[in-house]
Amino acid sequence: LIRKLEKICSENESFREKLIELLIKENELNTDLWRGIIMSLEKSNLYEQKLIYTFEKIFFNPLVVDIYNLELSRVIFSIVNTRKSISDNLVDFFYEKIKLLWNDSSNTEEKSLGYMTRALNSSKGNLALSTIKLIEISIKNSDEKCLKDSFKVFLEQMLKEEGYNDSLVVILGNASFFYNIDSDWCEKFILDKFKSNDDEILKMAWSGFVHQSYLYTEFALVFEPIYHEAIKNIDIFEKDIRKLIFKGYMSLIFNFSEDPMGDYIPNIFSGDMAEETLELFYFELSNGIDQLDKTGRKEIFDKWIKDFLDRRSRDYPIKTSNHEKNLIIKFLAKFPYFTSNLDEILKKFDKGFTIEQFTLYFFTID
């Protein structure tokens, strides 16, 4: 019924207006009819003044804002995220509504969901997403790359809220965006959270980061030490997040590191290294090699791969397990041109080395 109402309201603006007026007149505040009306605005193409007028009607009573906080936060984000053009006037209007909605906003209660999924399904998460989008639009409209003080105040309010907060996942996860527009503010309020001793904060920050941020040269240089610490503590993260963190770390190795053996590999190969981490390393390393042509493979082989393999054959910095030796054998297939350089390394494998099933399968399939 609500979906049918939503469709009718989307297609008939006059009907929606009359229904709003009727509900206000009859003081019908806690009815799912409001849900249909609100959601009908998600894909509306109302011109700005009409859109403002309609939202003002919906916001007429605090009780409606409270009851339908999630729906309103979702619709506002959908509008600011998809509308091709938004004026400064509409930016200011929605920003005021977002701050008003924040007072009654909430987190997703379903704890079994991942942090990012929870954020996308809560009013706090959607309000944070909308705020960031409005900042992006404001910068585009003014053609001036800066973070206005008015936005800083609200962002800091969200960041300082005690307890679990879905908006943290969104705000911290956009570290690269904030660093690009105000590096000093970002280092103080965003990057500092990535150095927290609280595992919950780290999980929220990295869950948002791997889905929303990207590495560019200036930011990568600043964020590199934070990545090192995340790899050292990789086991605290959920499996899917571990994979994405590791993928980013390998990207740093390939694109930014001058000395992987000195500043990256020691963080990965530690005494309590999990087998899954080992497999992630060789998987992502292989993916990176796959992107290179013959010349590129020779360059990286000479730069650090040969040295790395030599050290692993000598159990440095930790003992090389039988499973890792199988991973190495499979990895060597990426360098068919350099087998003569690897003879000495292969000879160092002990006589007790056992070929695992996955290795046999890898070399026997077509």
Side-chain angles (χ1 to χ4, degrees):
L1 178 61
I2 297 302
R3 288 184 178 179
K4 287 183 179 179
L5 177 61
E6 179 184 333
K7 187 174 186 297
I8 293 170
C9 288
S10 297
E11 296 173 348
N12 193 323
E13 295 175 19
S14 177
F15 174 78
R16 179 169 53 208
E17 286 184 25
K18 289 178 181 178
L19 182 56
I20 291 173
E21 295 291 348
L22 178 62
L23 292 175
I24 293 174
K25 181 180 178 181
E26 297 297 326
N27 200 31
E28 290 287 347
L29 305 178
N30 191 7
T31 168
D32 275 347
L33 293 175
W34 281 110
R35 195 183 311 278
I37 291 170
I38 293 168
M39 298 309 294
S40 74
L41 294 168
E42 187 172 16
K43 298 178 181 178
S44 67
N45 56 358
L46 294 174
Y47 62 90
E48 289 193 0
Q49 285 307 118
K50 191 71 171 179
L51 193 63
I52 290 173
Y53 171 81
T54 304
F55 267 94
E56 289 286 24
K57 287 290 185 180
I58 294 172
F59 273 77
F60 85 101
N61 191 299
L63 186 59
V64 174
V65 176
D66 182 17
I67 296 172
Y68 303 102
N69 195 286
L70 176 59
E71 288 80 6
L72 285 165
S73 65
R74 282 177 170 171
V75 166
I76 289 176
F77 175 62
S78 178
I79 291 172
V80 300
N81 191 47
T82 59
R83 209 171 178 91
K84 292 182 178 179
S85 176
I86 294 181
S87 69
D88 288 333
N89 183 48
L90 193 56
V91 167
D92 293 340
F93 174 80
F94 275 133
Y95 186 41
E96 291 305 313
K97 297 308 178 192
I98 286 169
K99 290 188 286 185
L100 184 62
L101 285 166
W102 181 258
N103 296 325
D104 298 306
S105 63
S106 60
N107 298 303
T108 300
E109 295 182 1
E110 181 51 69
K111 301 294 171 56
S112 64
L113 300 174
Y115 289 101
M116 194 66 210
T117 302
R118 287 159 69 176
L120 293 173
N121 286 279
S122 73
S123 52
K124 285 189 182 297
N126 275 275
L127 292 174
L129 285 166
S130 298
T131 301
I132 291 171
K133 190 63 184 180
L134 290 180
I135 293 170
E136 182 183 328
I137 294 168
S138 179
I139 290 172
K140 182 180 179 181
N141 287 350
S142 65
D143 200 25
E144 183 178 355
K145 192 171 68 174
C146 71
L147 183 58
K148 295 179 181 177
D149 288 341
S150 58
F151 286 124
K152 288 180 182 179
V153 171
F154 185 49
L155 289 167
E156 289 167 23
Q157 177 187 339
M158 288 191 277
L159 288 168
K160 291 176 182 177
E161 188 168 291
E162 294 183 1
Y164 177 81
N165 185 349
D166 282 334
S167 65
L168 278 181
V169 181
V170 174
I171 298 171
L172 299 181
N174 276 277
S176 63
F177 169 75
F178 285 114
Y179 190 84
N180 187 44
I181 58 176
D182 193 321
S183 59
D184 290 338
W185 184 87
C186 179
E187 289 200 40
K188 181 178 180 181
F189 290 97
I190 304 291
L191 300 191
D192 189 61
K193 296 283 189 181
F194 283 86
K195 303 169 187 175
S196 173
N197 293 320
D198 187 334
D199 286 356
E200 185 84 352
I201 295 292
L202 292 176
K203 289 175 184 178
M204 285 189 285
W206 278 99
S207 294
F209 183 89
V210 296
H211 288 107
Q212 299 172 102
S213 276
Y214 62 97
L215 295 169
Y216 52 91
T217 303
E218 183 184 2
F219 177 67
L221 293 173
V222 172
F223 203 75
E224 184 182 39
I226 296 173
Y227 245 119
H228 290 328
E229 291 304 312
I231 291 298
K232 292 175 184 177
N233 298 286
I234 194 71
D235 291 339
I236 72 169
F237 302 104
E238 296 294 326
K239 183 176 181 179
D240 290 345
I241 303 302
R242 285 202 297 268
K243 289 181 179 179
L244 293 172
I245 291 175
F246 226 95
K247 185 173 184 177
Y249 200 61
M250 296 305 294
S251 175
L252 285 174
I253 289 179
F254 275 91
N255 298 307
F256 295 100
S257 177
E258 292 299 322
D259 181 23
M261 292 302 300
D263 52 20
Y264 279 78
I265 298 303
N267 299 322
I268 300 171
F269 287 81
S270 59
D272 56 352
M273 186 180 193
E275 188 172 276
E276 182 186 322
T277 304
L278 190 69
E279 292 172 351
L280 272 175
F281 170 76
Y282 282 103
F283 178 78
E284 292 300 339
L285 181 59
S286 295
N287 281 345
I289 298 298
D290 285 340
Q291 308 306 312
L292 305 175
D293 57 16
K294 183 178 178 180
T295 301
R297 294 190 188 202
K298 184 178 188 314
E299 288 177 355
I300 197 170
F301 184 84
D302 293 339
K303 180 179 179 181
W304 70 275
I305 294 293
K306 186 176 185 298
D307 185 26
F308 164 73
L309 294 173
D310 178 63
R311 294 190 189 192
R312 296 309 297 134
S313 72
R314 293 185 285 111
D315 294 327
Y316 181 85
I318 60 174
K319 184 174 176 57
T320 309
S321 67
N322 187 77
H323 183 56
E324 184 182 356
K325 290 174 183 177
N326 276 266
L327 292 170
I328 290 173
I329 291 294
K330 182 180 174 182
F331 174 67
L332 293 181
K334 304 293 179 184
F335 301 95
Y337 316 107
F338 316 126
T339 52
S340 61
N341 295 308
L342 300 171
D343 289 343
E344 290 302 314
I345 293 174
L346 293 172
K347 287 177 184 177
K348 291 174 185 175
F349 281 173
D350 60 69
K351 296 179 181 180
F353 170 57
T354 304
I355 298 291
E356 296 177 344
Q357 189 64 41
F358 84 90
T359 308
L360 288 172
Y361 180 74
F362 175 77
F363 285 103
T364 55
I365 61 172
D366 292 333

